[in-house]
PDB file of all heavy atoms in Angstrom:
ATOM      1  N   LEU A 174       5.958  10.809   9.970  1.00 72.00           N
ATOM      2  CA  LEU A 174       5.500   9.765  10.815  1.00 72.00           C
ATOM      3  C   LEU A 174       4.388  10.306  11.807  1.00 72.00           C
ATOM      4  O   LEU A 174       4.302  11.575  11.973  1.00 72.00           O
ATOM      5  CB  LEU A 174       6.621   9.108  11.642  1.00 72.00           C
ATOM      6  CG  LEU A 174       7.760   8.650  10.723  1.00 72.00           C
ATOM      7  CD1 LEU A 174       8.906   8.103  11.627  1.00 72.00           C
ATOM      8  CD2 LEU A 174       7.336   7.490   9.820  1.00 72.00           C
ATOM      9  N   VAL A 175       3.696   9.467  12.482  1.00 76.00           N
ATOM     10  CA  VAL A 175       2.736   9.803  13.488  1.00 76.00           C
ATOM     11  C   VAL A 175       3.102   9.249  14.788  1.00 76.00           C
ATOM     12  O   VAL A 175       3.353   8.057  14.958  1.00 76.00           O
ATOM     13  CB  VAL A 175       1.288   9.360  13.104  1.00 76.00           C
ATOM     14  CG1 VAL A 175       0.357   9.721  14.171  1.00 76.00           C
ATOM     15  CG2 VAL A 175       0.857   9.977  11.803  1.00 76.00           C
ATOM     16  N   GLU A 176       3.229  10.175  15.788  1.00 81.00           N
ATOM     17  CA  GLU A 176       3.674   9.690  17.127  1.00 81.00           C
ATOM     18  C   GLU A 176       2.565   8.990  17.883  1.00 81.00           C
ATOM     19  O   GLU A 176       1.453   9.333  17.815  1.00 81.00           O
ATOM     20  CB  GLU A 176       4.199  10.856  17.980  1.00 81.00           C
ATOM     21  CG  GLU A 176       5.428  11.485  17.427  1.00 81.00           C
ATOM     22  CD  GLU A 176       6.030  12.616  18.385  1.00 81.00           C
ATOM     23  OE1 GLU A 176       5.317  12.884  19.420  1.00 81.00           O
ATOM     24  OE2 GLU A 176       7.049  13.149  17.991  1.00 81.00           O
ATOM     25  N   ARG A 177       2.959   7.943  18.622  1.00 84.00           N
ATOM     26  CA  ARG A 177       2.050   7.213  19.514  1.00 84.00           C
ATOM     27  C   ARG A 177       2.818   6.916  20.833  1.00 84.00           C
ATOM     28  O   ARG A 177       3.986   6.977  20.933  1.00 84.00           O
ATOM     29  CB  ARG A 177       1.612   5.874  18.927  1.00 84.00           C
ATOM     30  CG  ARG A 177       0.710   5.996  17.706  1.00 84.00           C
ATOM     31  CD  ARG A 177      -0.597   6.554  18.150  1.00 84.00           C
ATOM     32  NE  ARG A 177      -1.597   6.746  17.042  1.00 84.00           N
ATOM     33  CZ  ARG A 177      -2.434   5.778  16.602  1.00 84.00           C
ATOM     34  NH1 ARG A 177      -2.491   4.662  17.221  1.00 84.00           N
ATOM     35  NH2 ARG A 177      -3.236   6.029  15.575  1.00 84.00           N
ATOM     36  N   ASP A 178       1.969   6.693  21.887  1.00 87.00           N
ATOM     37  CA  ASP A 178       2.607   6.307  23.170  1.00 87.00           C
ATOM     38  C   ASP A 178       2.472   4.856  23.303  1.00 87.00           C
ATOM     39  O   ASP A 178       1.429   4.252  23.206  1.00 87.00           O
ATOM     40  CB  ASP A 178       1.778   6.977  24.313  1.00 87.00           C
ATOM     41  CG  ASP A 178       2.380   6.640  25.611  1.00 87.00           C
ATOM     42  OD1 ASP A 178       3.383   7.145  26.105  1.00 87.00           O
ATOM     43  OD2 ASP A 178       1.758   5.735  26.324  1.00 87.00           O
ATOM     44  N   ALA A 179       3.609   4.164  23.678  1.00 88.00           N
ATOM     45  CA  ALA A 179       3.694   2.738  23.917  1.00 88.00           C
ATOM     46  C   ALA A 179       4.135   2.469  25.282  1.00 88.00           C
ATOM     47  O   ALA A 179       5.285   2.350  25.505  1.00 88.00           O
ATOM     48  CB  ALA A 179       4.543   2.087  22.878  1.00 88.00           C
ATOM     49  N   ASP A 180       3.276   2.486  26.280  1.00 88.00           N
ATOM     50  CA  ASP A 180       3.665   2.273  27.704  1.00 88.00           C
ATOM     51  C   ASP A 180       4.672   3.174  28.120  1.00 88.00           C
ATOM     52  O   ASP A 180       5.695   2.791  28.816  1.00 88.00           O
ATOM     53  CB  ASP A 180       3.993   0.872  27.867  1.00 88.00           C
ATOM     54  CG  ASP A 180       2.996  -0.224  27.616  1.00 88.00           C
ATOM     55  OD1 ASP A 180       1.752   0.151  27.846  1.00 88.00           O
ATOM     56  OD2 ASP A 180       3.243  -1.336  27.201  1.00 88.00           O
ATOM     57  N   GLY A 181       4.462   4.502  27.788  1.00 90.00           N
ATOM     58  CA  GLY A 181       5.410   5.436  28.239  1.00 90.00           C
ATOM     59  C   GLY A 181       6.467   5.809  27.361  1.00 90.00           C
ATOM     60  O   GLY A 181       7.346   6.716  27.581  1.00 90.00           O
ATOM     61  N   THR A 182       6.639   5.043  26.211  1.00 92.00           N
ATOM     62  CA  THR A 182       7.695   5.222  25.242  1.00 92.00           C
ATOM     63  C   THR A 182       7.077   5.823  23.919  1.00 92.00           C
ATOM     64  O   THR A 182       6.020   5.352  23.481  1.00 92.00           O
ATOM     65  CB  THR A 182       8.395   3.939  24.923  1.00 92.00           C
ATOM     66  OG1 THR A 182       8.995   3.310  26.041  1.00 92.00           O
ATOM     67  CG2 THR A 182       9.461   4.115  23.820  1.00 92.00           C
ATOM     68  N   THR A 183       7.614   6.958  23.493  1.00 93.00           N
ATOM     69  CA  THR A 183       7.104   7.528  22.247  1.00 93.00           C
ATOM     70  C   THR A 183       7.686   6.749  21.038  1.00 93.00           C
ATOM     71  O   THR A 183       8.846   6.612  20.900  1.00 93.00           O
ATOM     72  CB  THR A 183       7.662   8.972  22.067  1.00 93.00           C
ATOM     73  OG1 THR A 183       7.062   9.710  23.272  1.00 93.00           O
ATOM     74  CG2 THR A 183       7.145   9.646  20.812  1.00 93.00           C
ATOM     75  N   VAL A 184       6.786   6.339  20.187  1.00 92.00           N
ATOM     76  CA  VAL A 184       7.129   5.604  19.039  1.00 92.00           C
ATOM     77  C   VAL A 184       6.632   6.287  17.844  1.00 92.00           C
ATOM     78  O   VAL A 184       5.684   7.192  17.981  1.00 92.00           O
ATOM     79  CB  VAL A 184       6.563   4.096  19.045  1.00 92.00           C
ATOM     80  CG1 VAL A 184       7.300   3.353  20.209  1.00 92.00           C
ATOM     81  CG2 VAL A 184       5.082   4.038  19.129  1.00 92.00           C
ATOM     82  N   HIS A 185       7.022   5.947  16.620  1.00 90.00           N
ATOM     83  CA  HIS A 185       6.594   6.612  15.429  1.00 90.00           C
ATOM     84  C   HIS A 185       6.071   5.644  14.454  1.00 90.00           C
ATOM     85  O   HIS A 185       6.682   4.684  13.976  1.00 90.00           O
ATOM     86  CB  HIS A 185       7.843   7.373  14.792  1.00 90.00           C
ATOM     87  CG  HIS A 185       8.521   8.254  15.810  1.00 90.00           C
ATOM     88  ND1 HIS A 185       8.313   9.581  15.757  1.00 90.00           N
ATOM     89  CD2 HIS A 185       9.451   7.937  16.728  1.00 90.00           C
ATOM     90  CE1 HIS A 185       9.144  10.111  16.757  1.00 90.00           C
ATOM     91  NE2 HIS A 185       9.847   9.206  17.331  1.00 90.00           N
ATOM     92  N   VAL A 186       4.742   5.822  14.063  1.00 85.00           N
ATOM     93  CA  VAL A 186       4.037   4.908  13.202  1.00 85.00           C
ATOM     94  C   VAL A 186       4.194   5.399  11.711  1.00 85.00           C
ATOM     95  O   VAL A 186       3.907   6.570  11.453  1.00 85.00           O
ATOM     96  CB  VAL A 186       2.579   4.811  13.555  1.00 85.00           C
ATOM     97  CG1 VAL A 186       1.891   3.848  12.644  1.00 85.00           C
ATOM     98  CG2 VAL A 186       2.424   4.348  15.028  1.00 85.00           C
ATOM     99  N   ALA A 187       4.741   4.466  10.881  1.00 81.00           N
ATOM    100  CA  ALA A 187       4.886   4.920   9.446  1.00 81.00           C
ATOM    101  C   ALA A 187       3.627   4.392   8.632  1.00 81.00           C
ATOM    102  O   ALA A 187       3.610   3.207   8.274  1.00 81.00           O
ATOM    103  CB  ALA A 187       6.135   4.242   8.957  1.00 81.00           C
ATOM    104  N   TYR A 188       2.692   5.271   8.474  1.00 68.00           N
ATOM    105  CA  TYR A 188       1.460   4.819   7.741  1.00 68.00           C
ATOM    106  C   TYR A 188       1.767   4.669   6.216  1.00 68.00           C
ATOM    107  O   TYR A 188       0.907   4.077   5.517  1.00 68.00           O
ATOM    108  CB  TYR A 188       0.402   5.830   7.915  1.00 68.00           C
ATOM    109  CG  TYR A 188      -0.303   5.695   9.151  1.00 68.00           C
ATOM    110  CD1 TYR A 188      -0.118   6.563  10.343  1.00 68.00           C
ATOM    111  CD2 TYR A 188      -1.419   4.774   9.290  1.00 68.00           C
ATOM    112  CE1 TYR A 188      -0.779   6.469  11.454  1.00 68.00           C
ATOM    113  CE2 TYR A 188      -2.176   4.742  10.533  1.00 68.00           C
ATOM    114  CZ  TYR A 188      -1.764   5.538  11.617  1.00 68.00           C
ATOM    115  OH  TYR A 188      -2.465   5.352  12.818  1.00 68.00           O
ATOM    116  N   ASP A 189       2.918   5.033   5.763  1.00 64.00           N
ATOM    117  CA  ASP A 189       3.293   4.857   4.358  1.00 64.00           C
ATOM    118  C   ASP A 189       4.145   3.608   4.189  1.00 64.00           C
ATOM    119  O   ASP A 189       4.711   3.325   3.133  1.00 64.00           O
ATOM    120  CB  ASP A 189       4.028   6.064   3.847  1.00 64.00           C
ATOM    121  CG  ASP A 189       5.227   6.360   4.610  1.00 64.00           C
ATOM    122  OD1 ASP A 189       5.490   5.791   5.745  1.00 64.00           O
ATOM    123  OD2 ASP A 189       6.053   7.234   4.123  1.00 64.00           O
ATOM    124  N   GLU A 190       4.326   2.845   5.215  1.00 72.00           N
ATOM    125  CA  GLU A 190       5.115   1.563   5.268  1.00 72.00           C
ATOM    126  C   GLU A 190       4.389   0.459   5.791  1.00 72.00           C
ATOM    127  O   GLU A 190       4.189   0.340   6.993  1.00 72.00           O
ATOM    128  CB  GLU A 190       6.387   1.814   5.949  1.00 72.00           C
ATOM    129  CG  GLU A 190       7.445   0.737   5.770  1.00 72.00           C
ATOM    130  CD  GLU A 190       8.751   0.988   6.520  1.00 72.00           C
ATOM    131  OE1 GLU A 190       9.063   2.169   6.720  1.00 72.00           O
ATOM    132  OE2 GLU A 190       9.471   0.039   6.780  1.00 72.00           O
ATOM    133  N   SER A 191       3.731  -0.449   5.029  1.00 69.00           N
ATOM    134  CA  SER A 191       2.802  -1.356   5.521  1.00 69.00           C
ATOM    135  C   SER A 191       2.926  -2.658   4.800  1.00 69.00           C
ATOM    136  O   SER A 191       3.535  -2.801   3.725  1.00 69.00           O
ATOM    137  CB  SER A 191       1.332  -0.846   5.449  1.00 69.00           C
ATOM    138  OG  SER A 191       0.928  -0.737   3.968  1.00 69.00           O
ATOM    139  N   VAL A 192       2.338  -3.756   5.419  1.00 70.00           N
ATOM    140  CA  VAL A 192       2.284  -5.073   4.829  1.00 70.00           C
ATOM    141  C   VAL A 192       0.877  -5.557   5.038  1.00 70.00           C
ATOM    142  O   VAL A 192       0.146  -5.095   5.900  1.00 70.00           O
ATOM    143  CB  VAL A 192       3.267  -6.137   5.444  1.00 70.00           C
ATOM    144  CG1 VAL A 192       4.719  -5.801   5.194  1.00 70.00           C
ATOM    145  CG2 VAL A 192       2.994  -6.219   6.901  1.00 70.00           C
ATOM    146  N   ARG A 193       0.359  -6.385   4.169  1.00 68.00           N
ATOM    147  CA  ARG A 193      -0.923  -6.834   4.087  1.00 68.00           C
ATOM    148  C   ARG A 193      -1.266  -7.785   5.359  1.00 68.00           C
ATOM    149  O   ARG A 193      -0.369  -8.604   5.712  1.00 68.00           O
ATOM    150  CB  ARG A 193      -1.320  -7.578   2.861  1.00 68.00           C
ATOM    151  CG  ARG A 193      -1.565  -6.610   1.654  1.00 68.00           C
ATOM    152  CD  ARG A 193      -2.041  -7.466   0.583  1.00 68.00           C
ATOM    153  NE  ARG A 193      -2.271  -6.556  -0.604  1.00 68.00           N
ATOM    154  CZ  ARG A 193      -2.848  -6.964  -1.781  1.00 68.00           C
ATOM    155  NH1 ARG A 193      -3.183  -8.339  -1.871  1.00 68.00           N
ATOM    156  NH2 ARG A 193      -3.001  -6.190  -2.794  1.00 68.00           N
ATOM    157  N   GLY A 194      -2.496  -7.726   5.947  1.00 71.00           N
ATOM    158  CA  GLY A 194      -2.952  -8.573   6.921  1.00 71.00           C
ATOM    159  C   GLY A 194      -4.167  -9.243   6.523  1.00 71.00           C
ATOM    160  O   GLY A 194      -4.790  -8.864   5.439  1.00 71.00           O
ATOM    161  N   SER A 195      -4.647 -10.197   7.244  1.00 73.00           N
ATOM    162  CA  SER A 195      -5.927 -10.892   6.885  1.00 73.00           C
ATOM    163  C   SER A 195      -7.105  -9.996   7.002  1.00 73.00           C
ATOM    164  O   SER A 195      -8.063 -10.160   6.181  1.00 73.00           O
ATOM    165  CB  SER A 195      -6.035 -12.088   7.749  1.00 73.00           C
ATOM    166  OG  SER A 195      -6.101 -11.829   9.139  1.00 73.00           O
ATOM    167  N   ASP A 196      -7.157  -9.070   7.898  1.00 69.00           N
ATOM    168  CA  ASP A 196      -8.199  -8.143   8.229  1.00 69.00           C
ATOM    169  C   ASP A 196      -7.869  -6.759   7.891  1.00 69.00           C
ATOM    170  O   ASP A 196      -8.814  -5.932   7.598  1.00 69.00           O
ATOM    171  CB  ASP A 196      -8.690  -8.266   9.560  1.00 69.00           C
ATOM    172  CG  ASP A 196      -9.212  -9.654   9.971  1.00 69.00           C
ATOM    173  OD1 ASP A 196      -9.921 -10.317   9.127  1.00 69.00           O
ATOM    174  OD2 ASP A 196      -8.892 -10.229  11.053  1.00 69.00           O
TER     175      ASP A 196
END
Side-chain angles (χ1 to χ4, degrees):
L174 306 176
V175 176
E176 291 185 1
R177 289 292 179 93
D178 178 79
D180 295 330
T182 300
T183 298
V184 297
H185 307 261
V186 181
Y188 279 98
D189 59 349
E190 188 176 340
S191 64
V192 295
R193 288 186 177 184
S195 56
D196 301 316

